[in-house]
Amino acid sequence: MIASDIRQTLLSLANPDYVEQYLYFFKTGKGQYGEGDQFAGVRNPQVRMVVKEAWKEASLDDCVTLAQDPVHEVRLCAMLILVKKMERAVKQKNTEEMQQIFDHYCSLHPYINNWDLVDLSATTIAGYAEIFHLDRGLMEEWIMPEGHTLWQQRISMVSTWRLVRYEHYEETFSRALVLMHSSEDLLHKAAGWMMREAGKNGGMDHLLGFLELHAPQMPSTMLRYAIEKLSDDERRYWLQRRKTGC
């Protein structure tokens, strides 16, 4: 009943005036990456308020039920509850619970199907699973395009946010190299974002080394995201390298 109560509480906070804005912002039109997604009009702070009140009592089965809901904000609530549970398990060093949360999360990947659902969950759930060696190489599999969705690839890429904070940089750049060959702008953004994070958090040598080898061939979006925190002169240099192709 907890899942049902959470859903009812969320929908009671909905404001239909926001729905059109969300449908546009999350690209739900025909042929777009969020095609067919449904929104109730619940604001993110309201979702977080419900999470704060419910996450301790909600079970993993409740999270599964919520994550499979057609309404986007209900699925977001499920992801944020799993994040809170993972943070608690990490704090308590409860690897068994961490593994259970990660396994449930991975089983739900068909429903983690927009960038906010990925970005607000993968950094913690998949990220800590990699730090504690619980993912059994799954993220290395998910980065590959064969047999994996856009969202699985983005989960794999965004999970490296946590790795770079533990001074593990190699995964960020090896996965970014794979995504260089993707046609998906959302993946280029994710790769550039994570490379930028690596540069900010002690991995500047890795970032510059990657740029030296690959900047001329990098997709424009990926490059621009990656160099965003560099100086004006450095950004101009790398953009010129891409423009000239050498």
Side-chain angles (χ1 to χ4, degrees), residues 111-131:
Y111 309 98
I112 310 171
N113 56 358
N114 216 308
W115 59 264
D116 63 322
L117 304 178
V118 171
D119 296 356
L120 292 174
S121 61
T123 55
T124 298
I125 300 172
Y128 274 125
E130 292 200 87
I131 291 296

Side-chain angles (χ1 to χ4, degrees), residues 18-29 32-35 37 39 42-44 72-73 76 113-117 119-120 151 154 186 189 225:
Y18 294 129
V19 171
E20 285 300 320
Q21 174 188 343
Y22 288 169
L23 292 174
Y24 173 80
F25 189 67
F26 289 101
K27 306 300 182 187
T28 62
Q32 295 181 307
Y33 57 74
E35 180 178 356
D37 207 350
F39 289 83
V42 186
R43 306 290 279 180
N44 193 291
H72 185 103
E73 295 96 327
L76 174 60
N113 56 358
N114 216 308
W115 59 264
D116 63 322
L117 304 178
D119 296 356
L120 292 174
W151 305 116
R154 187 167 172 114
L186 278 175
K189 289 177 179 178
Y225 270 61

Side-chain angles (χ1 to χ4, degrees), residues 24-236:
Y24 173 80
F25 189 67
F26 289 101
K27 306 300 182 187
T28 62
K30 186 173 178 59
Q32 295 181 307
Y33 57 74
E35 180 178 356
D37 207 350
Q38 300 177 33
F39 289 83
V42 186
R43 306 290 279 180
N44 193 291
Q46 294 173 307
V47 176
R48 290 184 178 275
M49 179 182 70
V50 174
V51 170
K52 183 178 180 181
E53 295 298 322
W55 75 270
K56 291 181 181 178
E57 291 187 38
S59 68
L60 292 181
D61 287 342
D62 290 320
C63 291
V64 170
T65 299
L66 294 168
Q68 295 175 343
D69 198 275
V71 176
H72 185 103
E73 295 96 327
V74 178
R75 300 200 305 281
L76 174 60
C77 184
M79 293 301 105
L80 295 178
I81 289 173
L82 288 174
V83 166
K84 295 290 288 185
K85 289 183 176 296
M86 186 62 127
E87 289 173 341
R88 180 181 63 184
V90 169
K91 186 176 181 179
Q92 295 174 345
K93 297 182 173 58
N94 187 336
T95 55
E96 182 178 353
E97 185 177 3
M98 281 188 266
Q99 186 72 67
Q100 291 175 346
I101 294 166
F102 177 68
D103 290 345
H104 277 74
Y105 178 74
C106 291
S107 73
L108 293 168
H109 76 80
Y111 309 98
I112 310 171
N113 56 358
N114 216 308
W115 59 264
D116 63 322
L117 304 178
V118 171
D119 296 356
L120 292 174
S121 61
T123 55
T124 298
I125 300 172
Y128 274 125
E130 292 200 87
I131 291 296
F132 287 92
H133 306 292
L134 305 175
D135 82 313
R136 304 179 300 279
L138 192 60
M139 292 299 103
E140 291 294 337
E141 294 178 19
W142 279 16
I143 198 63
M144 306 306 295
E146 297 82 8
H148 301 111
T149 67
L150 157 67
W151 305 116
Q152 285 174 293
Q153 288 183 282
R154 187 167 172 114
I155 287 170
S156 174
M157 189 71 247
V158 172
S159 73
T160 67
W161 186 92
R162 186 70 56 185
L163 292 170
V164 301
R165 280 153 179 79
Y166 283 75
E167 299 183 350
H168 299 304
Y169 306 111
E170 292 77 9
E171 295 86 350
T172 296
F173 294 96
S174 64
R175 295 177 197 178
L177 185 60
V178 173
L179 298 186
M180 275 182 55
H181 307 290
S182 172
S183 61
E184 297 286 354
D185 196 55
L186 278 175
L187 296 181
H188 299 162
K189 289 177 179 178
W193 170 27
M194 290 303 109
M195 286 192 285
R196 183 182 72 217
E197 290 298 307
K200 285 167 49 182
N201 290 276
M204 185 57 71
D205 288 345
H206 290 76
L207 174 58
L208 295 178
F210 187 93
L211 293 174
E212 186 64 41
L213 289 173
H214 303 295
Q217 296 81 39
M218 286 174 69
S220 176
T221 298
M222 185 186 292
L223 177 60
R224 290 181 181 276
Y225 270 61
I227 64 177
E228 187 176 11
K229 295 301 181 180
L230 302 184
S231 69
D232 291 345
D233 287 344
E234 288 174 310
R235 290 200 302 275
R236 281 192 290 268

